[in-house]
Amino acid sequence: MPAIAEGYLTQEQKNAFQRDGYLIVRALFSKEEADTIRQTFMEVNAEGPIPGLSEINPNYQPNDPLSFYPRMMHPHRHPELPIGDLSMRTMLDSRVETILTELFEEEPVAAQSMFYFKPAGARGQDLHQDNYYLRVKPGTCIAAWTAVDDVDMENGGMVLVPGSHVLDIMCPSKADSSQFFTTDHVDVPEGMHPVPAVMKAGDVLFFNGSVIHGSYPNTSKDRFRCAFICHYLPRRSQEVSRGYRPLYNFTGEIIEDIGDATGGGPCGVPEFASPH
């Protein structure tokens, strides 16, 4: 995979990330690379969910599109499958590393990979904040959300609340299960508004772990909204939730000197956080 030079981001892009809490980097991956990711995951899921990889929910009804296409958690941990090596290479791609280094202003560490299929008719993921789950301290995580299909509001693209990255992590309320497959909901503060992220396959959305974000149902007739998502933390971090181990640097070495998250979160429950 081709490298990009340090200083890839313009000052305007850095300012936008600091102002809004997120940034879309266009065409970071090629259309061909996005197609390869999509095809490989589709082939692995051709006969349905895979125990130990797919997030199989017994509450999904047979007519729920997500019953056949649930999201896949930590595919980089499955070297026995074609998606294993592909996910690890994509998670540790040098282009992503360069941008994360500029955004963190230090070395990044990889914590998680996920793949969302989101077929037509699938419910969305309600508004939430990522560091509620990762519990990175000090500081926060950054997500790299790679569009594997073209993404818009019709097929359930992402929405983000600009400026919400300066807010504390909030205790969520219960989501509307008729619209969202996840259980957590965070309110949009007064004076702030969700903004859609319209993307092409290969674009990557980077966003701060406090940014309120989510997606609405895929209302298209026949379009998927596939996405490959990874989470990262700064090397200086002292804590992260236990479920995100092992952590990796961008040479593929396991990082062992970052401790488990301690104490309660905003809801006062010591073990509320799990990979999301």
Side-chain angles (χ1 to χ4, degrees), residues 126-129 159-164 167 170 173 185-195 211-214 216:
D126 206 349
L127 297 175
H128 63 285
Q129 297 165 293
V159 297
L160 306 98
V161 179
S164 58
L167 303 174
M170 293 177 270
S173 57
H185 166 81
V186 169
D187 290 329
V188 177
E190 186 176 353
M192 293 185 174
H193 305 280
V195 173
V211 168
I212 299 171
H213 66 286
Y216 299 113

Side-chain angles (χ1 to χ4, degrees), residues 215-233:
S215 67
Y216 299 113
N218 182 344
T219 59
S220 71
K221 293 182 179 180
D222 56 7
R223 298 169 60 203
F224 278 78
R225 191 229 63 183
C226 295
F228 182 80
I229 304 108
C230 295
H231 286 95
Y232 305 88
L233 51 146

Side-chain angles (χ1 to χ4, degrees), residues 100-234:
L100 288 170
T101 301
E102 294 191 48
L103 297 178
F104 277 131
E105 297 184 340
E106 64 176 283
E107 178 187 353
V109 173
Q112 184 185 35
S113 65
M114 299 186 290
F115 189 86
Y116 286 58
F117 292 93
K118 199 165 189 182
R123 289 171 292 166
Q125 183 172 11
D126 206 349
L127 297 175
H128 63 285
Q129 297 165 293
D130 284 353
N131 209 41
Y132 173 76
Y133 307 96
L134 277 85
R135 293 172 64 192
V136 174
K137 295 180 183 178
T140 189
C141 56
I142 291 179
W145 196 102
T146 301
V148 179
D149 291 309
D150 292 349
V151 173
D152 51 43
M153 290 302 95
E154 183 189 53
N155 69 345
M158 286 272 284
V159 297
L160 306 98
V161 179
S164 58
H165 63 299
V166 303
L167 303 174
D168 291 335
I169 296 297
M170 293 177 270
C171 182
S173 57
K174 187 173 178 58
D176 179 356
S177 61
S178 69
Q179 297 294 309
F180 306 104
F181 75 92
T182 49
T183 58
D184 297 332
H185 166 81
V186 169
D187 290 329
V188 177
E190 186 176 353
M192 293 185 174
H193 305 280
V195 173
V198 177
M199 303 168 66
K200 293 290 188 182
D203 293 348
V204 181
L205 168 66
F206 293 88
F207 56 93
N208 175 291
S210 291
V211 168
I212 299 171
H213 66 286
S215 67
Y216 299 113
N218 182 344
T219 59
S220 71
K221 293 182 179 180
D222 56 7
R223 298 169 60 203
F224 278 78
R225 191 229 63 183
C226 295
F228 182 80
I229 304 108
C230 295
H231 286 95
Y232 305 88
L233 51 146

Side-chain angles (χ1 to χ4, degrees), residues 76-127:
H76 68 279
R77 297 180 183 174
H78 291 268
E80 76 282 3
L81 297 173
I83 57 173
D85 178 65
L86 174 65
S87 297
M88 182 68 82
R89 286 187 287 108
T90 306
M91 183 176 72
L92 302 182
D93 188 278
S94 62
R95 292 164 290 185
V96 174
E97 178 187 15
T98 297
I99 291 171
L100 288 170
T101 301
E102 294 191 48
L103 297 178
F104 277 131
E105 297 184 340
E106 64 176 283
E107 178 187 353
V109 173
Q112 184 185 35
S113 65
M114 299 186 290
F115 189 86
Y116 286 58
F117 292 93
K118 199 165 189 182
R123 289 171 292 166
Q125 183 172 11
D126 206 349
L127 297 175

